[in-house]
Amino acid sequence: MIYLKLFYEFFIIGLFTFGGGLATIPYLKDLAERTGWYEVSFITDMIAISESTPGPIGINMATYVGNEVAGIFGGILATVSEILPSIIIVALVSKFLFKFKNNQGFKHAFYGIRPCVAGLLAYVGVDLLSVAILNRSLISTVGLFGSIDILKSIIFLAIFYSIIKFKKHPVTYIIISGIIGIILKL
Amino acid sequence: MKGLLEIYFTFFKISSVTFGGGMAMMPILQREIVQNKQWITDEEVIDYYALSQGLPGILAINVASMIGYRKKGLVGDIAASLGTVSPCILIITILTSFISNFRDIEIIQHAFAGITLGATALIFSAIVGLWKKSVVDKICLAIFVITAAIMFAFDISPVILIILSGVIGILVKKSGLRA
């Protein structure tokens, strides 16, 4: 039953995501690998669309994946499943919210969880980068370094540098990189 | 009911003009909820953000839920959350049906090949941002490196690593270990 599975998967993602929407990406990659519902390369398309359309990116990505997997109803179901843990948890803890804020155990757990979230995203980043700039079909003949696409690597570094340097809105970089892709026929 | 609809449509409006993550929603929340509606104060918005980052769940939804709960309890919580996701569901659903049709066009394929590089660069900038906030000592550095290494080496669910890191965080702090 695809809908039941969608509900379960996105409920778990909602429950174990800490922080902003990009923190859900490691789960979406894991989901792709376990279920085969979509390709891992689909993730960068999804990020692009979700960053360039209104609405919080984590929610957009849930709708996008659900849509891809099981049509319009799948999109709605994935989204609602992902936000259900938030609705429940906020309702449960709201009465004690401000005691929670200074709860030591909570703070201590987050001391460990934050670098873990960063590590998970680093893994996904490196993996997506290898998909983006390596000619995977060439690795067996010319080796890992020989298969690096120099042009794409330079474009990646240039965009990364300008994000750090100019701090413009993500949509700006999505549009610019799309235009670069068209001009250079990537 | 009128109050609930107002909560729903207020968050619908806020979400419709938010581009990016939950943090991008903050200035819009402050304008709509604090200045226009005067439901809560600026300080409360900041507190809600701090709390939301310490709770499981998507940041934007946690914040919306808290404001909704503060106004009308559980039904307010649900109205605010649904208001936030409704524009996403509408827009993405319409867009994806178009995109699958566009995907075969050559120029779109070139555009997406470029966008792949841009989106990956955005992930790296997010990693840098997370790194600055989270890797504050050697123990955090170890958790960061080991997490990434385990993900490369083994087929393991990120959920397990999140839970383990939380436990490690508590144990390290309780034992008073200094990094």
Side-chain angles (χ1 to χ4, degrees):
Chain A
M1 182 63 182
I2 185 94
Y3 293 123
L4 212 60
K5 186 119 201 309
L6 258 185
F7 169 78
Y8 171 77
E9 294 290 353
F10 278 90
F11 187 85
I12 295 292
I13 291 175
L15 190 56
F16 285 97
T17 294
F18 294 90
L22 283 175
T24 63
I25 291 172
Y27 296 111
L28 295 176
K29 180 170 183 288
D30 179 56
L31 187 63
E33 288 163 348
R34 276 189 296 114
T35 61
W37 281 343
Y38 48 92
E39 300 283 322
V40 172
S41 60
F42 170 81
I43 292 175
T44 49
D45 291 8
M46 180 185 72
I47 295 170
I49 303 288
S50 302
E51 288 273 25
S52 325
T53 47
I57 178 170
I59 305 303
N60 287 343
M61 292 194 293
T63 312
Y64 200 110
V65 170
N67 237 301
E68 174 78 13
V69 174
I72 292 175
F73 184 66
I76 296 171
L77 182 68
T79 311
V80 173
S81 313
E82 193 179 67
I83 66 169
L84 206 53
S86 298
I87 294 176
I88 296 169
I89 289 167
V90 167
L92 287 178
V93 303
S94 267
K95 288 190 181 119
F96 323 99
L97 269 183
F98 289 91
K99 285 182 195 157
F100 247 103
K101 192 179 160 192
N102 298 314
N103 182 296
Q104 284 299 320
F106 231 73
K107 276 189 182 166
H108 293 169
F110 267 87
Y111 162 80
I113 288 174
R114 282 198 200 99
C116 179
V117 172
L120 289 173
L121 202 58
Y123 154 71
V124 178
V126 171
D127 201 64
L128 288 177
L129 183 64
S130 74
V131 174
I133 65 166
L134 294 181
N135 294 309
R136 290 207 158 180
S137 55
L138 293 178
I139 292 178
S140 53
T141 49
V142 292
L144 187 63
F145 288 101
S147 68
I148 295 175
D149 187 316
I150 305 289
L151 177 63
K152 285 183 177 174
S153 308
I154 292 170
I155 297 169
F156 166 80
L157 286 174
I159 299 170
F160 177 66
Y161 175 78
S162 32
I163 294 171
I164 300 286
K165 172 100 180 157
F166 302 113
K167 297 182 172 40
K168 293 259 186 271
H169 199 280
V171 183
T172 318
Y173 301 104
I174 298 291
I175 294 170
I176 292 172
S177 56
I179 294 171
I180 293 173
I182 293 170
I183 294 174
L184 298 177
K185 291 192 187 298
L186 288 177
Chain B
M1 193 62 201
K2 189 170 164 280
L4 283 182
L5 282 178
E6 195 186 357
I7 293 174
Y8 175 85
F9 283 110
T10 303
F11 278 94
F12 189 104
K13 188 177 162 195
I14 290 169
S15 179
S16 305
V17 289
T18 297
F19 284 85
M23 291 308 286
M25 200 169 82
M26 196 198 234
I28 303 157
L29 266 180
Q30 284 172 325
R31 197 181 58 218
E32 283 298 317
I33 306 280
V34 180
Q35 289 162 23
N36 292 355
K37 303 272 179 192
Q38 300 184 337
W39 286 346
I40 55 173
T41 63
D42 262 332
E43 287 71 29
E44 281 175 292
V45 171
I46 293 162
D47 280 349
Y48 287 173
Y49 264 90
L51 279 166
S52 295
Q53 285 179 320
L55 288 175
I58 308 282
L59 182 61
I61 299 297
N62 283 352
V63 174
S65 287
M66 279 178 203
I67 297 170
Y69 194 92
R70 162 78 200 276
K71 284 293 287 176
K72 288 261 179 220
L74 180 61
V75 282
D77 173 349
I78 295 169
S81 304
L82 289 181
T84 308
V85 301
S86 296
C88 307
I89 292 176
L90 276 176
I91 296 165
I92 297 285
T93 304
I94 295 167
L95 215 67
T96 44
S97 58
F98 278 113
I99 285 169
S100 49
N101 294 333
F102 279 142
R103 223 48 234 277
D104 299 329
I105 302 169
E106 203 192 336
I107 190 164
I108 301 286
Q109 287 170 355
H110 290 313
F112 271 96
I115 286 170
T116 297
L117 296 170
T120 309
L122 284 171
I123 293 187
F124 274 82
S125 79
I127 297 168
V128 172
L130 282 175
W131 167 282
K132 282 182 187 160
K133 275 185 224 144
S134 65
V135 183
V136 291
D137 58 30
K138 281 177 189 154
I139 292 170
C140 294
L141 177 66
I143 293 175
F144 174 86
V145 173
I146 293 169
T147 299
I150 288 178
M151 289 301 289
F152 272 112
F154 304 103
D155 193 9
I156 188 172
S157 167
V159 172
I160 296 167
L161 296 178
I162 291 277
I163 296 172
L164 277 179
S165 319
V167 174
I168 290 170
I170 292 170
L171 292 179
V172 166
K173 286 285 182 181
K174 280 264 187 294
S175 69
L177 209 69
R178 289 275 176 272

Short mmCIF file of all heavy atoms in Angstrom, two decimals, chain A residues 2 6 37-39 42 46 61-72 74-75, chain B residues 92 96 99-100:
data_model
loop_
_atom_site.label_atom_id
_atom_site.label_comp_id
_atom_site.label_asym_id
_atom_site.label_seq_id
_atom_site.Cartn_x
_atom_site.Cartn_y
_atom_site.Cartn_z
N ILE A 2 0.98 1.89 -1.16
CA ILE A 2 1.93 2.98 -1.33
C ILE A 2 1.60 4.16 -0.40
O ILE A 2 2.50 4.80 0.14
CB ILE A 2 1.98 3.43 -2.81
CG1 ILE A 2 3.07 4.48 -3.04
CG2 ILE A 2 0.65 3.99 -3.28
CD1 ILE A 2 4.36 3.92 -3.47
N LEU A 6 4.04 5.91 2.22
CA LEU A 6 4.34 7.34 2.12
C LEU A 6 4.10 8.04 3.47
O LEU A 6 4.92 8.82 3.94
CB LEU A 6 3.45 8.00 1.08
CG LEU A 6 4.01 8.31 -0.30
CD1 LEU A 6 2.98 9.08 -1.10
CD2 LEU A 6 5.31 9.10 -0.23
N TRP A 37 11.99 4.84 -5.41
CA TRP A 37 10.86 5.64 -5.89
C TRP A 37 11.31 6.70 -6.88
O TRP A 37 10.58 7.10 -7.76
CB TRP A 37 10.15 6.31 -4.70
CG TRP A 37 9.24 5.39 -3.96
CD1 TRP A 37 8.75 4.19 -4.41
CD2 TRP A 37 8.69 5.59 -2.65
NE1 TRP A 37 7.93 3.65 -3.45
CE2 TRP A 37 7.87 4.48 -2.37
CE3 TRP A 37 8.81 6.60 -1.69
CZ2 TRP A 37 7.19 4.34 -1.17
CZ3 TRP A 37 8.12 6.46 -0.51
CH2 TRP A 37 7.31 5.34 -0.25
N TYR A 38 12.51 7.21 -6.69
CA TYR A 38 13.07 8.21 -7.60
C TYR A 38 14.58 8.12 -7.55
O TYR A 38 15.15 7.52 -6.65
CB TYR A 38 12.61 9.63 -7.22
CG TYR A 38 12.76 9.93 -5.74
CD1 TYR A 38 13.91 10.51 -5.24
CD2 TYR A 38 11.76 9.59 -4.83
CE1 TYR A 38 14.06 10.77 -3.89
CE2 TYR A 38 11.90 9.83 -3.47
CZ TYR A 38 13.06 10.43 -3.01
OH TYR A 38 13.22 10.67 -1.68
N GLU A 39 15.25 8.70 -8.58
CA GLU A 39 16.71 8.66 -8.65
C GLU A 39 17.31 9.66 -7.67
O GLU A 39 16.69 10.68 -7.37
CB GLU A 39 17.16 9.05 -10.07
CG GLU A 39 16.64 8.16 -11.17
CD GLU A 39 17.40 6.85 -11.23
OE1 GLU A 39 18.64 6.87 -11.02
OE2 GLU A 39 16.76 5.80 -11.45
N PHE A 42 17.54 13.13 -8.93
CA PHE A 42 16.27 13.87 -8.87
C PHE A 42 16.31 14.91 -7.74
O PHE A 42 15.62 15.93 -7.79
CB PHE A 42 15.17 12.82 -8.64
CG PHE A 42 13.81 13.35 -8.31
CD1 PHE A 42 12.96 13.81 -9.30
CD2 PHE A 42 13.36 13.36 -6.99
CE1 PHE A 42 11.69 14.26 -9.00
CE2 PHE A 42 12.09 13.82 -6.68
CZ PHE A 42 11.26 14.28 -7.68
N MET A 46 14.83 18.78 -7.43
CA MET A 46 13.85 19.06 -6.38
C MET A 46 14.26 20.27 -5.53
O MET A 46 13.44 21.13 -5.23
CB MET A 46 13.77 17.81 -5.51
CG MET A 46 12.83 17.87 -4.38
SD MET A 46 13.03 16.35 -3.44
CE MET A 46 14.60 16.65 -2.67
N MET A 61 9.63 20.26 -0.79
CA MET A 61 10.27 19.02 -1.20
C MET A 61 9.39 17.81 -0.89
O MET A 61 9.34 16.86 -1.67
CB MET A 61 11.64 18.89 -0.54
CG MET A 61 12.63 19.93 -1.07
SD MET A 61 14.34 19.59 -0.65
CE MET A 61 14.30 19.81 1.11
N ALA A 62 8.69 17.86 0.25
CA ALA A 62 7.78 16.75 0.59
C ALA A 62 6.67 16.64 -0.46
O ALA A 62 6.38 15.54 -0.95
CB ALA A 62 7.19 16.96 1.98
N THR A 63 6.08 17.79 -0.83
CA THR A 63 5.03 17.77 -1.84
C THR A 63 5.57 17.23 -3.16
O THR A 63 4.95 16.39 -3.82
CB THR A 63 4.47 19.19 -2.07
OG1 THR A 63 4.19 19.80 -0.83
CG2 THR A 63 3.20 19.15 -2.90
N TYR A 64 6.76 17.69 -3.52
CA TYR A 64 7.38 17.31 -4.78
C TYR A 64 7.61 15.80 -4.86
O TYR A 64 7.25 15.14 -5.83
CB TYR A 64 8.72 18.06 -4.91
CG TYR A 64 9.25 18.15 -6.31
CD1 TYR A 64 9.26 19.37 -6.97
CD2 TYR A 64 9.76 17.04 -6.96
CE1 TYR A 64 9.77 19.47 -8.26
CE2 TYR A 64 10.26 17.13 -8.25
CZ TYR A 64 10.27 18.35 -8.89
OH TYR A 64 10.76 18.44 -10.15
N VAL A 65 8.21 15.26 -3.79
CA VAL A 65 8.49 13.82 -3.78
C VAL A 65 7.19 13.01 -3.78
O VAL A 65 7.03 12.06 -4.55
CB VAL A 65 9.36 13.42 -2.55
CG1 VAL A 65 9.44 11.92 -2.41
CG2 VAL A 65 10.74 14.03 -2.68
N GLY A 66 6.24 13.41 -2.93
CA GLY A 66 4.97 12.69 -2.85
C GLY A 66 4.27 12.67 -4.19
O GLY A 66 3.73 11.64 -4.63
N ASN A 67 4.33 13.80 -4.90
CA ASN A 67 3.75 13.93 -6.23
C ASN A 67 4.40 12.97 -7.22
O ASN A 67 3.73 12.32 -8.01
CB ASN A 67 4.01 15.35 -6.73
CG ASN A 67 2.73 16.04 -7.09
OD1 ASN A 67 2.00 15.55 -7.93
ND2 ASN A 67 2.44 17.14 -6.43
N GLU A 68 5.72 12.92 -7.15
CA GLU A 68 6.49 12.06 -8.05
C GLU A 68 6.14 10.58 -7.80
O GLU A 68 6.02 9.80 -8.73
CB GLU A 68 7.99 12.30 -7.80
CG GLU A 68 8.95 11.40 -8.55
CD GLU A 68 9.11 11.80 -10.01
OE1 GLU A 68 8.67 12.92 -10.37
OE2 GLU A 68 9.66 10.98 -10.79
N VAL A 69 5.97 10.24 -6.52
CA VAL A 69 5.77 8.85 -6.15
C VAL A 69 4.33 8.39 -6.39
O VAL A 69 4.09 7.31 -6.92
CB VAL A 69 6.15 8.62 -4.67
CG1 VAL A 69 5.80 7.21 -4.22
CG2 VAL A 69 7.63 8.91 -4.47
N ALA A 70 3.35 9.24 -6.00
CA ALA A 70 1.97 8.76 -6.04
C ALA A 70 0.95 9.82 -6.46
O ALA A 70 -0.18 9.84 -5.97
CB ALA A 70 1.59 8.17 -4.68
N GLY A 71 1.38 10.73 -7.34
CA GLY A 71 0.42 11.69 -7.88
C GLY A 71 -0.01 12.77 -6.90
O GLY A 71 0.63 12.95 -5.86
N ILE A 72 -1.06 13.48 -7.25
CA ILE A 72 -1.49 14.63 -6.46
C ILE A 72 -1.81 14.26 -5.02
O ILE A 72 -1.36 14.90 -4.07
CB ILE A 72 -2.74 15.29 -7.12
CG1 ILE A 72 -2.33 15.92 -8.46
CG2 ILE A 72 -3.33 16.36 -6.20
CD1 ILE A 72 -3.49 16.49 -9.25
N GLY A 74 -0.67 11.77 -3.39
CA GLY A 74 0.62 11.44 -2.76
C GLY A 74 1.31 12.68 -2.25
O GLY A 74 1.89 12.69 -1.16
N GLY A 75 1.26 13.76 -3.05
CA GLY A 75 1.89 15.02 -2.65
C GLY A 75 1.26 15.59 -1.40
O GLY A 75 1.95 16.05 -0.48
N ILE B 92 3.41 23.49 -6.09
CA ILE B 92 4.26 22.37 -6.51
C ILE B 92 3.47 21.36 -7.35
O ILE B 92 3.98 20.83 -8.34
CB ILE B 92 4.89 21.66 -5.29
CG1 ILE B 92 5.81 22.63 -4.52
CG2 ILE B 92 5.65 20.41 -5.70
CD1 ILE B 92 7.14 22.91 -5.17
N THR B 96 4.85 20.53 -11.03
CA THR B 96 5.42 19.22 -11.37
C THR B 96 4.72 18.62 -12.59
O THR B 96 5.36 17.95 -13.39
CB THR B 96 5.34 18.22 -10.21
OG1 THR B 96 4.06 18.31 -9.60
CG2 THR B 96 6.41 18.49 -9.17
N ILE B 99 6.44 20.26 -15.43
CA ILE B 99 7.84 19.94 -15.60
C ILE B 99 8.06 18.59 -16.28
O ILE B 99 8.89 18.46 -17.17
CB ILE B 99 8.58 19.98 -14.24
CG1 ILE B 99 8.76 21.43 -13.83
CG2 ILE B 99 9.95 19.31 -14.34
CD1 ILE B 99 9.23 21.62 -12.44
N SER B 100 7.27 17.60 -15.89
CA SER B 100 7.47 16.29 -16.50
C SER B 100 7.22 16.37 -18.01
O SER B 100 7.81 15.62 -18.78
CB SER B 100 6.58 15.24 -15.84
OG SER B 100 5.26 15.72 -15.76
#
